[in-house]
Amino acid sequence: MKYDVAIIGSGFGALTAAALLARRGLKVGVLEQAKYPGGCATSYRRKGYWFETGATTLVGLDEHMPLRYLLDHTGIQLPVQQLELPMQVHLPDGKAVTRYGHLEEWIGEAERVFGQRGQRAFWEHCYQVSRQVWRTSLQQTSFPISNAKDLLLSGLRVRPSQLTLLPGAFRTMEDVLRKYDLLQHEPFVDFVNEQLLITAQNYLPEVNELFGATALCYTLYSNYYVPGGLINLVKPVLAYLGRQGGEIKYGCAVQEVKKLATGYQLRTSKGEVQSRFVISGIPLNNTVQLFSEEKVRQRLQPYLLGSERLNGAFTMSLVLRAQEARQVLHHQVHVPQGLPEIGSKSVFISFSHPQDTQRAPAGEVVASVSTHIHHPQQHLIQHKGAIEQAILEVLLQRGLFRREHILSVQSATPGAWEFWTRRAYGAVGGYPQYRHTKPWQMKDARLDHRGAYLCGDTVYPGQGIPGVCLSGIIAANKLLQDHF
């Protein structure tokens, strides 16, 4: 097989790059080791039900956001359904905090639950930062800078409003809470920490203001549900790729990448592939294992994070009898005492829409549950059943469903995640934010500065469907910038 661009993996960042490059007339081949496309943003079928693999809510379709950019440049249309209420957070004292999708409504709710002190100023500030971050991200697609042309183009694209973001790279979210006199408000600090964990993969002292403010405000943008599961987010992109002459090969695990005089040779489980260019859409920890060239390995080494700095997940997939129509499909439940064996202090659950008969038959719904496990390599789960039961009790106590409605339960550990996805350590959510790593110090899209590139949740900008979509936009842009 020969391509202009061989793309390793079919995560949403990889598919974004594939679609944008195919649009420019390049022959693109996507090599996927699994039998389903989409990576962490997809669904899988089991016993007639469709469960989500990872991410369970969709944002990024508003103006100046990455998915909107992708759709505007390709004409792809997505079968989505906007959510009126993005999510609820269940606090230890029994209060339910509704994350309203409009700023004024959300500020009113935050003041009702946490008191008026500092809330309005804090959330108005975060929302303003988040809007400017998204706008700047699509204006500066040569960022992070890694060659002279990046520097020139970034300089030409600088706007005064972009410069106002710079101090935020040096402040943490802990600093921001201190500024608004909220750092001593323990319930609010706990709330923010657990919200950051599911978006930025870390806590207040480590997450910088730019990423933190953006992460905390994702519910203030249009949130969507995809009928049939997130695999139906992926399918239209693949259909577009096919119409442009590209293709995807399933069960095609890439085992080695070699640089040739005229391009690259990829050894896969289904034979050899040759291409002019390569884009790796898999994690850095996996990417480094594919390249035998020592110079490439050395270049990546400073960016790699070990298991002790990553998060895995304990996940559960439930089939339930449908209850009355749900107003809110996504819930985070705080567990201050921590879950047995893993110590996690919050659980996230997403229900399928009760009218979505693609994922479950009428009268039933499916639910995806996840909770973080720090340092997944160290946490070899010994008593999976105990964790499973503890999570169910937490969800039952909050009235999210009743015991008699449970039809089936299946759970998976980081080890199972690693087995099925091949992601190193079974890590989820991408690389966590750390205060010592500024945005311009994150790995940029160039792998070897010759013809190999990177995208996905372990390179700039990181986590979430909008983030990996942006990484795919940047990878495609830099490839075109370098060679066309």
Side-chain angles (χ1 to χ4, degrees):
M1 294 181 284
K2 290 187 177 182
Y3 302 106
D4 291 321
V5 187
I7 297 184
I8 304 170
S10 65
F12 203 79
L15 292 181
T16 296
L20 293 173
L21 292 172
R23 172 179 172 267
R24 291 293 297 267
L26 297 175
K27 184 179 180 183
V28 178
V30 178
L31 311 176
E32 171 55 57
Q33 61 90 20
K35 63 179 181 179
Y36 293 119
C40 296
T42 191
S43 316
Y44 66 94
R45 193 168 191 267
R46 184 162 184 174
K47 297 182 179 179
Y49 300 92
W50 282 94
F51 299 101
E52 302 291 31
T53 300
T56 48
T57 186
L58 176 64
V59 296
L61 287 165
D62 293 325
E63 189 179 11
H64 306 304
M65 294 185 80
L67 269 79
R68 173 52 48 201
Y69 176 99
L70 173 64
L71 302 191
D72 288 347
H73 280 73
T74 59
I76 294 170
Q77 296 188 352
L78 300 177
V80 296
Q81 177 177 338
Q82 188 167 354
L83 298 175
E84 282 296 318
L85 298 174
M87 73 178 297
Q88 280 187 330
V89 181
H90 302 261
L91 302 179
D93 63 3
K95 290 181 180 176
V97 187
T98 301
R99 293 297 316 259
Y100 289 101
H102 300 284
L103 181 61
E104 280 301 316
E105 285 183 281
W106 165 237
I107 290 173
E109 176 73 346
E111 290 180 337
R112 178 187 73 82
V113 176
F114 300 111
Q116 292 192 354
R117 187 184 67 188
Q119 291 293 325
R120 173 170 290 277
F122 174 79
W123 288 107
E124 286 180 343
H125 172 77
C126 288
Y127 186 57
Q128 181 181 7
V129 170
S130 72
R131 291 181 65 189
Q132 188 57 46
V133 165
W134 284 124
R135 184 186 294 266
T136 298
S137 296
L138 288 174
Q139 291 169 337
Q140 290 288 0
T141 53
S142 294
F143 185 86
I145 294 165
S146 64
N147 68 17
K149 194 170 184 180
D150 282 349
L151 181 61
L152 174 62
L153 290 173
S154 294
L156 292 172
R157 295 166 181 163
V158 166
R159 303 289 182 271
S161 59
Q162 297 171 10
L163 300 178
T164 64
L165 292 175
L166 187 59
F170 296 92
R171 290 192 292 258
T172 67
M173 288 307 296
E174 187 174 63
D175 297 327
V176 179
L177 261 71
R178 185 181 292 110
K179 175 182 177 180
Y180 293 102
D181 197 24
L182 291 166
L183 197 56
Q184 304 307 314
H185 191 327
E186 190 173 335
F188 185 66
V189 169
D190 291 342
F191 166 80
V192 171
N193 268 329
E194 295 305 318
Q195 287 279 280
L196 286 175
L197 186 61
I198 60 174
T199 47
Q201 302 296 310
N202 218 329
Y203 296 118
L204 283 165
E206 294 291 347
V207 180
N208 76 51
E209 180 182 6
L210 302 183
F211 284 105
T214 306
L216 288 177
C217 289
Y218 83 95
T219 52
L220 296 176
Y221 295 88
S222 302
N223 279 237
Y224 295 90
Y225 177 81
V226 184
L230 284 173
I231 195 165
N232 288 333
L233 168 71
V234 173
K235 286 179 177 178
V237 184
L238 284 174
Y240 174 84
L241 179 64
R243 291 194 298 272
Q244 303 302 313
E247 61 184 9
I248 183 169
K249 299 290 185 183
Y250 296 107
C252 190
V254 177
Q255 298 161 342
E256 185 181 29
V257 180
K258 284 185 178 180
K259 182 73 178 82
L260 304 176
T262 57
Y264 295 85
Q265 179 178 287
L266 292 80
R267 180 168 57 85
T268 82
S269 56
K270 290 192 172 181
E272 290 188 352
V273 172
Q274 291 190 349
S275 63
R276 292 171 61 194
F277 309 106
V278 171
I279 296 179
S280 175
I282 62 177
L284 278 171
N285 299 70
N286 296 88
T287 297
V288 71
Q289 302 301 321
L290 299 182
F291 285 79
S292 53
E293 190 177 345
E294 187 58 30
K295 189 179 291 185
V296 173
R297 288 173 172 266
Q298 289 177 355
R299 185 175 282 125
L300 287 180
Q301 203 61 41
Y303 299 99
L304 301 179
L305 298 186
S307 172
E308 72 281 359
R309 298 175 66 193
L310 299 175
N311 295 309
F314 185 92
T315 61
M316 296 171 60
S317 298
L318 311 179
V319 179
L320 306 165
R321 288 195 183 91
Q323 299 173 246
E324 61 280 358
R326 296 180 184 277
Q327 281 192 302
V328 185
L329 299 182
H330 306 295
H331 299 259
Q332 185 186 39
V333 181
H334 285 217
V335 189
Q337 72 276 16
L339 292 169
E341 196 167 337
I342 56 177
S344 306
K345 294 191 174 182
S346 67
V347 174
F348 192 81
I349 180 169
S350 293
F351 297 92
S352 63
H353 195 284
Q355 295 176 356
D356 185 357
T357 54
Q358 296 178 65
R359 294 184 63 192
E364 297 178 6
V365 297
V366 295
S368 300
V369 182
S370 63
T371 189
H372 281 75
I373 301 177
H374 187 64
H375 197 345
Q377 191 176 44
Q378 187 181 61
H379 284 93
L380 301 177
I381 306 299
Q382 302 295 327
H383 303 98
K384 189 169 79 167
I387 301 171
E388 194 176 274
Q389 287 305 310
I391 291 173
L392 287 176
E393 288 303 321
V394 165
L395 300 175
L396 288 165
Q397 287 169 13
R398 295 309 176 101
L400 294 174
F401 51 84
R402 294 201 290 269
R403 193 179 302 275
E404 61 268 25
H405 289 165
I406 301 173
L407 299 178
S408 75
V409 179
Q410 55 187 356
S411 58
T413 66
W417 180 263
E418 183 175 9
F419 176 79
W420 288 111
T421 68
R422 302 292 190 264
R423 290 174 67 97
Y425 313 120
V428 301
Y431 276 6
Q433 297 297 321
Y434 284 100
R435 64 187 305 172
H436 68 271
T437 304
K438 309 306 180 192
W440 54 85
Q441 295 172 315
M442 298 177 72
K443 184 70 190 87
D444 91 306
R446 293 188 185 90
L447 177 57
D448 63 359
H449 288 260
R450 288 178 289 180
Y453 297 82
L454 294 156
C455 63
D457 61 9
T458 59
V459 299
Y460 177 85
Q463 306 89 356
I465 294 175
V468 296
C469 181
L470 178 58
S471 78
I473 293 169
I474 291 171
N477 177 76
K478 291 201 174 187
L479 189 155
L480 294 169
Q481 174 184 307
D482 291 346
H483 302 283
F484 295 91

